[in-house]
Amino acid sequence: MKSRMIAGASALALAATLSACSSGTAEAGGTTTIDVWLMRDSVSEDFQTTFEREFEAEHPDIDAKIQIQEWDGIGEKVVAALASNDPPDIIEIGNSQMPQYSQSGGLLDLSDKVDDLGGEEWIPGLADPAVWDGKTYGVPYYAANRVVIYNKTLFEAAGIDAGSITTRDQWIAATTALNSGDIQGIYLPGQSWHALAGFTWDEGGTFASQDGENWTGTLDTPEAMAGMKFYAQLQALGNGPKDSDVASPPQTDIMASGDVAQIISAPGGARSVIAANPELEGKLGFFPIPGKTADTPGAVYVGGSELVIPAASDAPEAAYTFIKALSGEKWQRKLAAAMGYVPNKPSLADAVADDPGAAAMAVAGTQNGHSTPIAPGWAAVEAQNIIHDYMTAVLTGGDPAEEAQKASDEITRAMNQAS
C-alpha cells in the first residue's frame, strides 16, 4: 500500500542471499511447497492461520509457506528476488510499484487468467496498475482510500447532519459553518497531494498524460488548476500549515485536541486520534469525500496491493491456485471484514457494511477510485516532491498559472528521465 522507489543498486548482492535462504519449491510425496511473501499488516495472524489451514485442507498437494515482509526496504528485496533463480513463488506488491516491476520482465504474464478470476469486475484503482504494455502481471488483492473523519460532537453542536453532505457545495457550506471561534472546520495541510488528486480527477484533469513513450505534466490544464483552486478553498477553512503534509505534524494528533471538526484520512486514522485522546472514543464518524454532484462520490486515490508470480517460480500452477483462492469471493469477504479493507470487486463491498469507516471507504473506492500515472517515472515525481512544492507555492501566494506550468515542466522532465 505504500509507494516506494525501487532501489536496485544492491540487487545482485541480495540475490545470492535470497537464493541461500529461500526454501524454494520442493517436491516430497507429491506435495508442492510454495513460498509466499505478504506484507506487514496485509493480514492478521488469525486470518493467516485460518487461511493457511483451510487452503491446505482443500489443496493437500500444496504446502504454502507464508512469510511476512516489512515495507521498509522491500523494493530492494523484490528487485533482488526477481533477479535470482530462486525467488518466492508469490509476492505481494503495492499497486503504485507495479509499473517498475512489470517492465522488468521478471513477472509472469497472467493475461490468460483474467477471465477465470472475474477480472472484468476488478475495481479500476487496482486493475489499471496491474497492466503493462497490454498485459496483466498482477491480481488485485485489496484496496484502501481516504474518507472524511469527523467529530460528531462538533457537528451536532453546529446542527449539521453529516449524512446530508453528498456534494462539494454542501461540504463547503458545512465546513464554513463549523469554522468559528476556536474550532477548525477542517484541518488540511498544504501538501496533501492525495486529496488534491481526487479533486483534480473530479474536474476531469490529471497529473500527466502519455503520448507514445513520452509523458507530459498536465497540472497546467484548466481542469487540473480547477482541482487546485478547490483544494485552496477547502484548506482555507482551517489553520493547517501550507508548507507541510499530513505527517508534519501528524494530523491525527491535531484532531485529537478536540477542536478540529474534520480531517481527510484513511479510516484507520481514527484509531490514532483516539489513541492520542481516549475521550474521543465513540465520537468520531466517517463519510465519503463528496463529489461535484450527489450522483457520484468524490474521486479518490486507491492504494492497495497486487499479488504477482515471479517468472522464475518453480511452481506457477500451485502459486496461481493460491492467488485464485485469496483473491476470490470467499476470502476477499473474510479479509475485508477482518482487516477493514476494500475488497477487489464492487460486488463484495457489502462485506464491510458493519464497519462504518470501511463502508465509507468502499463507496468511493469501488465507484470512483483512480490510480496515479502508470509509469516507472512516477516514483521520481513523488521522490522529488514536485507536487508538494507546487501546492505550497500556490497556497502561499504564487501565481497559480505560473506555478502550474513550472510543476508540469518538472513532472515532464522527471517522468521521462526515469522512464
Side-chain angles (χ1 to χ4, degrees):
M1 292 175 60
K2 301 181 181 178
S3 175
R4 305 279 188 185
M5 288 193 67
I6 294 180
S10 57
L12 293 179
L14 274 176
T17 302
L18 284 164
S19 295
C21 67
S22 173
S23 64
T25 301
E27 297 288 344
T31 298
T32 300
T33 299
I34 57 173
D35 292 316
V36 182
W37 286 3
L38 296 183
M39 299 308 301
R40 176 69 61 193
D41 298 326
S42 165
V43 294
S44 65
E45 185 175 348
D46 287 344
F47 180 94
Q48 178 182 334
T49 299
T50 300
F51 175 79
E52 282 188 88
R53 182 179 65 248
E54 294 192 24
F55 175 79
E56 292 178 354
E58 294 174 4
H59 305 279
D61 57 330
I62 301 175
D63 180 16
K65 303 294 187 183
I66 298 177
Q67 304 166 32
I68 301 300
Q69 306 294 318
E70 302 296 335
W71 284 104
D72 287 341
I74 190 59
E76 183 177 272
K77 192 170 183 179
V78 171
V79 169
L82 296 181
S84 77
N85 293 321
D86 187 23
D89 301 286
I90 298 168
I91 303 176
E92 175 190 344
I93 289 178
N95 62 333
S96 63
Q97 300 169 332
M98 280 299 299
Q100 295 97 318
Y101 298 125
S102 295
Q103 72 157 2
S104 72
L107 300 181
L108 189 68
D109 180 4
L110 300 173
S111 301
D112 63 341
K113 305 296 186 184
V114 174
D115 289 344
D116 184 44
L117 296 169
E120 72 280 355
E121 298 181 44
W122 289 334
I123 60 176
L126 290 180
D128 293 346
V131 177
W132 179 260
D133 199 23
K135 297 178 180 179
T136 297
Y137 291 97
V139 175
Y141 180 22
Y142 66 86
N145 51 266
R146 287 158 180 78
V147 300
V148 179
I149 301 177
Y150 71 97
N151 184 311
K152 295 178 182 179
T153 301
L154 298 181
F155 269 61
E156 290 170 1
I160 297 172
D161 175 14
S164 68
I165 303 174
T166 58
T167 69
R168 276 193 191 177
D169 288 343
Q170 293 168 342
W171 193 21
I172 289 292
T175 305
T176 300
L178 287 159
N179 188 37
S180 62
D182 295 331
I183 304 301
Q184 294 187 60
I186 189 168
Y187 179 84
L188 181 61
Q191 297 180 349
S192 182
W193 75 265
H194 290 105
L196 173 64
F199 303 151
T200 301
W201 289 321
D202 278 337
E203 296 290 348
T206 187
F207 291 131
S209 63
Q210 185 177 19
D211 183 10
E213 296 183 358
N214 296 318
W215 285 86
T216 301
T218 53
L219 283 175
D220 57 331
T221 62
E223 294 82 4
M225 291 179 64
M228 184 64 217
K229 182 178 180 180
F230 179 77
Y231 187 101
Q233 180 184 10
L234 186 64
Q235 200 268 341
L237 297 176
N239 299 321
K242 295 177 171 57
D243 59 352
S244 64
D245 61 18
V246 298
S248 305
Q251 65 173 353
T252 51
D253 287 355
I254 302 299
M255 191 176 197
S257 67
D259 57 9
V260 170
Q262 306 169 87
I263 60 172
I264 298 174
S265 168
R271 292 193 293 271
S272 298
V273 174
I274 294 168
N277 183 359
E279 292 184 3
L280 291 177
E281 178 76 47
K283 298 179 181 179
L284 301 180
F286 313 85
F287 60 86
I289 296 173
K292 295 189 72 174
T293 69
D295 297 332
T296 307
V300 291
Y301 165 71
V302 173
S305 289
E306 320 277 351
L307 297 172
V308 304
I309 301 175
S313 166
D314 290 331
E317 292 184 7
Y320 175 69
T321 299
F322 181 99
I323 288 177
K324 184 176 181 179
L326 191 52
S327 66
E329 179 174 352
K330 174 184 175 180
W331 290 103
Q332 280 290 295
R333 287 186 176 278
K334 290 179 178 292
L335 180 70
M339 303 300 295
Y341 294 142
V342 178
N344 60 15
K345 297 176 181 177
S347 60
L348 306 179
D350 61 333
V352 294
D354 295 332
D355 182 332
M361 182 168 62
V363 170
T366 58
Q367 296 182 39
N368 202 6
H370 297 252
S371 61
T372 50
I374 302 171
W378 180 252
V381 175
E382 292 190 31
Q384 295 174 31
N385 291 322
I386 294 172
I387 302 174
H388 281 185
D389 294 344
Y390 158 67
M391 296 173 73
T392 292
V394 173
L395 293 174
T396 54
D399 179 83
E402 291 181 3
E403 297 299 339
Q405 181 64 64
K406 177 182 176 182
S408 294
D409 291 343
E410 291 177 351
I411 290 173
T412 299
R413 174 190 49 75
M415 292 192 70
N416 290 321
Q417 285 182 351
S419 297

